[in-house]
Amino acid sequence: MTLPSLFDLSFLGRRDTPALEWDGAVFTFGEIDERAARMANLLTARGLERGDRLCVYLGNCLEYVDLYLAATRLGVIFVPVNVLYRDREIRHILQDAEPKALITTAEQAGFLSGASVAVWLLEELRAEVGAQAATRRVEVTDGDTPAAIVYTSGTTGASKGAVLTHRNFVVNAVNLLTCWQFTAGDRMLLTLPLFHVHGLGNGIHCWLASGCMLRLTERFAHERAAGWMTEFQPTVFFGVPTMYVRMLEWPEETAAAIGKGMRLFVSGSAPLPAQVLEDFRARFGHTILERYGMSETLMNLTNPYVGERRAGSVGLPMPGVSVRNLDPDGNDVADGETGELYLRGPNLFAGYWRREEATAAAHRDGWFRTGDIAVRSADGYYTLQGRRSDLIISGGFNIYPREIEEFLAEQPGVKEVAVAAAADARRGEVPVAYVVAEGKFDAGALERACRAHLASFKIPRAFVAVEALPRTALGKIQKHLLPKWESS
Ligand code: MCA
C-alpha cells in the first residue's frame, strides 16, 4: 500500500467532514485533497518528476501539508529540513540529497548563503497555486517507492539521509492506529515540527489514516498551548518530554480540565523522566504513554494502551517489529541483562541515501543496530539504559557532539575541544563545550560564531575553559571525566 491510498480513506471517504484547523480556518478533507491536487500540478508544471528530491525548509504551515501530500502523490522524494538549521547544516543536506529545488520563505532564504540550489519561495507558490487545476494525479503505486529522506546525524558529524518508503510509513501509521486505538472521532492537537518523523510520520499520518480532526499550530508555544487545549479540546496529544515538563507549569485547574477531555498523551523522541510521568499523572489525571522510535525505523516499541504503562520503560514491540537484545559478540542476552537493541520488520528504512557502507555498518545479519542499550524484563517490557554513541537529545532534537566539536575546532583560539551533555530540567540535556584555548579564551566570540552558523538548539549552553582534555592512554577523550557543569 502507498501513502496516497492510505490517505484516500479520508480524502475519498470523508470528503465533507471537517479535517483541519489552521490559523482559525477550518478545511474539510475534500478541501485538503483539492489543495494537494493543485499543489501537485504546480510542482509538475515547475518540472518536478518522480524520483526527484524536494527539500522543504519551512516551519509548520498549511502549505507544508499541501507540499507533502503533493510529493507523495507524484513520487517526488520529500526531504524535510529543520527550520532551525543554518548555512553549513543546510549546505551538507543540499550536497548530499541533490534536490531539484528547495522551498522556503523569503525570510528563511537569508540563511542559505552560498547554497547552489534552485530556491522556490513559498510566497511565489502561494500566488501561483490557485491558478492550477484541481485534477487529481497519483503516480505512485508501489509501496517500495521512497517517500522521504530524513537526515539524521551520524557519529562522524555529517548527517546521513535515511530513505523511508511508502511501505515504512504505512506500516507505522496502521500500527499506531491499532496500538493507540485511534478513531475518526478523535481530535488531535499537533504542535510538533513537521520536519521530523514524530510530527510528520506520527502526527500527520495518524490524522489522515484515521480521518480524525486535526488542529495544527506553527510550533509548541508553551505560553499559548494551554489556551489551545482548552479551546480545541483535543482527545490526543503527541509530545516530547520538554513539552510535558512545560505543561507541569500550567495552573492546576487548567491541567485538570484539559485532562478530563483527553484520551491519550503520548511521549517520545527522548527519555521521559519517571518523576515527570508521576507529576503529570497527579495534575492531568493521565499516565503518559511512552514509546520508542528512530528516524530510520519509525516507531518500534510502545507501552500498551490498555494495561500497564510502566514508568521509565518504552514498552513492548509493535506489531510486525522483531527485537533482539545482543551482547557485543552478537549473542542474545537473558532477560534482566543489558544488551544492545537490534530490530527487524517492515518499518525498517531502505538504507542511507547513497551510502552503502554506512548502511551495511548499521546492520548485522539483516538486523538494524539501534545503538541503544536496553534491558528486557521477564514480562517483556524494554527499558532503555543509555546509548552506544554520545548523542545528546535536547528538547527532543538530536545533537551530535562531533558536529559542534568540528565547527569549534575551526574557530581561532581553539586548540582542542570536547562537547558533552549536561543535565537540564526542562530540555533533558543541553550541550556544553570544554575548550583548551590557544591564547586568550573568548567564550562570547565562540558563542557568536555558533549562533551565526548552527541551529539554536546546538549552541553550547556554556563554554568552559580547561587546561587539557582527559584522555586514555590511547588518546581517546574521556568525556565522563570532564568537570561537571550544572545549569542554573
Ligand atoms: C523550537 N524553536 C523553534 C521550534 N522549536 N522554532 C521554530 N519551530 C520549532 N518547531 C526555537 C524557538 O523559536 C527558540 O528560538 C528556541 O528554539 C527555543 O525555544 P523555546 O520554546 O524557548 O524552547 P523550549 O521551551 O525548550 O521548547 C522547545 C520545544 C522544541 C518546543 C519542545 O524543542 C520542539 O518542538 N521539540 C520537538 C522536537 C522533535 O519533534 N523531535 C522529534 C525528532 P530562539 O532561541 O532563537 O528564540 S524525531 C525522533 O526523535 C524519533 C523518530 C522519535 O522517536 O520521535
Side-chain angles (χ1 to χ4, degrees):
M1 196 188 214
T2 60
L3 286 170
S5 44
L6 181 71
F7 299 158
D8 277 351
L9 296 174
S10 297
F11 288 136
L12 303 183
R14 303 171 59 76
R15 279 198 93 68
D16 301 324
T17 314
L20 171 67
E21 189 181 327
W22 164 261
D23 201 17
V26 175
F27 302 84
T28 62
F29 283 107
E31 285 166 336
I32 299 292
D33 180 44
E34 262 189 48
R35 292 180 61 94
R38 286 186 212 280
M39 187 60 88
N41 289 329
L42 177 59
L43 296 184
T44 304
R46 282 190 168 235
L48 278 186
E49 288 171 12
R50 199 189 163 111
D52 286 341
R53 274 80 58 208
L54 174 66
C55 282
V56 175
Y57 176 46
L58 293 173
N60 291 359
C61 58
L62 190 54
E63 290 79 8
Y64 206 106
V65 176
D66 304 335
L67 286 165
Y68 179 64
L69 293 173
T72 59
R73 290 180 184 188
L74 296 175
V76 164
I77 307 174
F78 195 81
V79 186
V81 180
N82 188 322
V83 74
L84 299 170
Y85 279 3
R86 295 298 174 252
D87 52 2
R88 57 189 275 138
E89 294 150 327
I90 299 167
R91 221 176 303 135
H92 169 72
I93 293 178
L94 293 176
Q95 276 163 7
D96 195 71
E98 295 186 308
K100 199 132 192 201
L102 174 143
I103 296 177
T104 192
T105 59
E107 193 189 340
Q108 286 277 129
F111 297 122
L112 294 171
S113 64
S116 53
V117 65
V119 176
W120 296 353
L121 294 182
L122 180 68
E123 292 84 350
E124 290 170 7
L125 299 183
R126 266 188 195 138
E128 289 170 31
V129 74
Q132 293 293 324
T135 348
R136 246 174 164 262
R137 288 183 36 223
V138 178
E139 308 276 338
V140 176
T141 51
D142 179 357
D144 290 325
T145 309
I149 300 177
V150 176
Y151 276 82
T152 157
S153 299
T155 41
T156 53
S159 57
K160 305 183 285 283
V163 179
L164 292 159
T165 64
H166 281 246
R167 189 189 308 283
N168 294 148
F169 279 123
V170 168
V171 163
N172 185 63
V174 173
N175 267 351
L176 300 190
L177 255 51
T178 312
C179 291
W180 300 343
Q181 300 198 3
F182 259 85
T183 69
D186 273 314
R187 296 170 67 78
M188 190 197 307
L189 175 69
L190 188 60
T191 63
L192 285 160
L194 298 183
F195 49 74
H196 275 311
V197 303
H198 193 170
L200 191 70
N202 291 10
I204 294 294
H205 292 181
C206 280
W207 161 49
L208 291 173
S210 70
C212 73
M213 173 78 191
L214 175 73
R215 175 162 179 182
L216 179 68
T217 69
E218 207 180 317
R219 53 177 305 240
F220 181 82
H222 61 89
E223 63 295 340
R224 295 177 61 201
W228 297 335
M229 286 205 184
T230 306
E231 214 176 271
F232 180 67
Q233 301 200 330
T235 58
V236 193
F237 181 76
F238 293 165
V240 296
T242 301
M243 295 176 182
Y244 291 112
V245 171
R246 286 289 200 178
M247 289 165 72
L248 292 175
E249 295 164 14
W250 295 352
E252 253 171 58
E253 320 76 70
T254 311
I258 290 169
K260 278 215 176 71
M262 192 65 85
R263 182 175 74 75
L264 178 65
F265 290 99
V266 182
S267 177
S269 308
L272 180 71
Q275 191 59 47
V276 175
L277 182 129
E278 294 302 337
D279 294 349
F280 196 88
R281 180 157 46 205
R283 284 180 96 83
F284 288 79
H286 282 263
T287 306
I288 300 171
L289 184 153
E290 187 171 4
R291 56 73 182 164
Y292 162 67
M294 287 179 80
S295 296
E296 289 92 335
T297 63
L298 304 174
M299 303 304 112
N300 303 309
L301 295 149
T302 179
N303 270 281
Y305 182 76
V306 179
E308 187 195 356
R309 298 180 192 168
R310 194 170 293 176
S313 164
V314 290
L316 313 153
M318 291 195 152
V321 180
S322 302
V323 181
R324 286 179 81 184
N325 210 12
L326 303 180
D327 70 15
D329 297 326
N331 304 311
D332 295 275
V333 302
D335 287 348
E337 282 178 20
T338 301
E340 185 180 339
L341 279 187
Y342 283 73
L343 302 164
R344 209 163 66 172
N347 55 319
L348 243 61
F349 71 136
Y352 293 112
W353 176 251
R354 292 179 177 165
R355 281 172 205 264
E356 268 173 44
E357 263 180 45
T359 304
H363 291 80
R364 185 175 193 159
D365 302 329
W367 291 75
F368 175 69
R369 183 173 195 185
T370 64
D372 284 311
I373 308 300
V375 170
R376 196 181 99 125
S377 67
D379 58 355
Y381 281 69
Y382 286 84
T383 300
L384 301 183
Q385 299 207 313
R387 291 178 290 264
R388 205 165 42 85
S389 70
D390 55 0
L391 169 75
I392 299 170
I393 309 183
S394 189
F397 288 120
N398 287 359
I399 302 171
Y400 286 84
R402 184 68 189 271
E403 186 191 351
I404 308 172
E405 288 163 358
E406 282 172 9
F407 174 72
L408 287 173
E410 292 166 13
Q411 305 308 310
V414 175
K415 190 166 163 219
E416 279 188 302
V417 58
V419 172
D424 181 83
R426 187 172 287 155
R427 300 229 170 103
E429 295 177 326
V430 287
V432 169
Y434 297 85
V435 179
V436 181
E438 211 163 34
K440 197 172 151 292
F441 174 64
D442 187 348
L446 292 179
E447 185 180 344
R448 282 192 296 279
C450 288
R451 197 163 286 284
H453 298 287
L454 299 176
S456 58
F457 59 89
K458 293 182 193 169
I459 301 166
R461 180 69 68 82
F463 295 84
V464 181
V466 288
E467 286 289 311
L469 298 176
R471 290 181 184 273
T472 62
L474 294 174
K476 191 173 178 300
I477 298 172
Q478 294 176 293
K479 291 194 177 175
H480 61 284
L481 295 182
L482 287 162
K484 260 217 160 26
W485 183 85
E486 303 276 344
S487 70
S488 49

